[in-house]
Amino acid sequence: MLPARLRVRALLGTAETIVDLAAPVDPARDHLRGPADAPVTVVEYGDFECPYCGQAEPVVRRILADLGDVRYVWRHLPLTDVHPFAQLAAQAGEAAAAQGAFWQMHDRLLAHQDRLRPSDLIGHARDLGLDVERFRADLHDHTVVARIAADVDSADVSGVSGTPTFFINGRRHHGAFDLDGLSSAIRSARARAGLDSSRR
């Protein structure tokens, strides 16, 4: 009695479309923490001005400390329509990366989300012992801006529109990003990775 379209849907059901990480992790370009050969990789698309990214940061730190076999990747997704200093903060992260200090700047920016104005960023660079003149020049360098744009493009292709968004071993994490939620998802990914390797 059902129309053909509804009959097919009733018989076959519906499934949520799974959007995987479109751009695979590249150790040559991505910012990585944790062992290179870890069985689980967590990718976060984040915004240094996003309060939820600030809340997620201690959770990520705890996971990296407690679970030694997790690799963590940060990718930029500055939400410039709601966070006026997010783009410049991302550029500060990349300008620090040019001096080998991405993670130090990353940690500092997330710990001081109320201090992301241009003068604040110069102060962060000075406090981290960076070459301030080089940092100031790199802050607006076209390669820095292009690097962030590439992350934003990869987020778009992966269907990411908000921060923080996590991918665990390439699969989008839809649950909570608290300690229990992320830890549980990581344990499941680790178990799947173990199963996949045992089948080879």
Side-chain angles (χ1 to χ4, degrees):
M1 300 293 286
L2 288 172
R5 183 178 56 83
L6 292 178
R7 188 169 55 245
V8 169
R9 188 172 180 183
L11 289 171
L12 299 179
T14 59
E16 179 183 339
T17 301
I18 296 174
V19 179
D20 291 331
L21 187 66
V25 173
D26 180 357
R29 81 167 294 281
D30 278 311
H31 300 295
L32 309 172
R33 266 185 168 156
D37 60 347
V40 178
T41 297
V42 176
V43 175
E44 177 182 356
Y45 280 95
D47 170 330
F48 288 122
E49 198 173 353
C50 168
Y52 302 108
C53 293
Q55 291 170 16
E57 171 60 11
V59 172
V60 170
R61 286 296 196 97
R62 175 84 182 273
I63 285 170
L64 291 174
D66 291 353
L67 308 172
D69 59 348
V70 175
R71 181 174 65 162
Y72 171 69
V73 177
W74 170 275
R75 288 183 178 170
H76 301 286
L77 183 58
L79 304 177
T80 54
D81 53 338
V82 290
H83 299 139
F85 302 110
Q87 175 66 31
L88 196 59
Q91 290 170 219
E94 291 305 315
Q99 298 186 49
F102 173 79
W103 289 111
Q104 294 92 322
M105 184 62 79
H106 165 278
D107 297 349
R108 190 167 181 93
L109 294 174
L110 287 173
H112 301 283
Q113 290 185 305
D114 58 337
R115 293 176 51 208
L116 300 178
R117 287 178 166 75
S119 60
D120 296 323
L121 300 176
I122 299 300
H124 295 321
R126 186 176 294 111
D127 291 346
L128 291 172
L130 301 182
D131 177 333
V132 174
E133 290 313 308
R134 179 181 173 193
F135 176 85
R136 198 188 302 266
D138 287 341
L139 194 58
H140 300 286
D141 187 86
H142 69 92
T143 57
V144 162
V145 175
R147 166 73 174 74
I148 295 160
D151 277 0
V152 172
D153 288 346
S154 74
D156 187 49
V157 174
S158 295
V160 177
S161 58
T163 57
T165 295
F166 292 94
F167 289 84
I168 301 173
N169 279 1
R171 292 178 154 182
R172 187 170 181 154
H173 173 67
H174 289 284
F177 55 85
D178 59 8
L179 186 60
D180 290 341
L182 279 177
S183 296
S184 175
I186 288 168
R187 282 193 293 272
S188 296
R190 185 193 291 132
R192 281 193 304 272
L195 283 173
D196 289 345
S197 64
S198 68
R199 289 173 182 158
R200 291 180 190 145

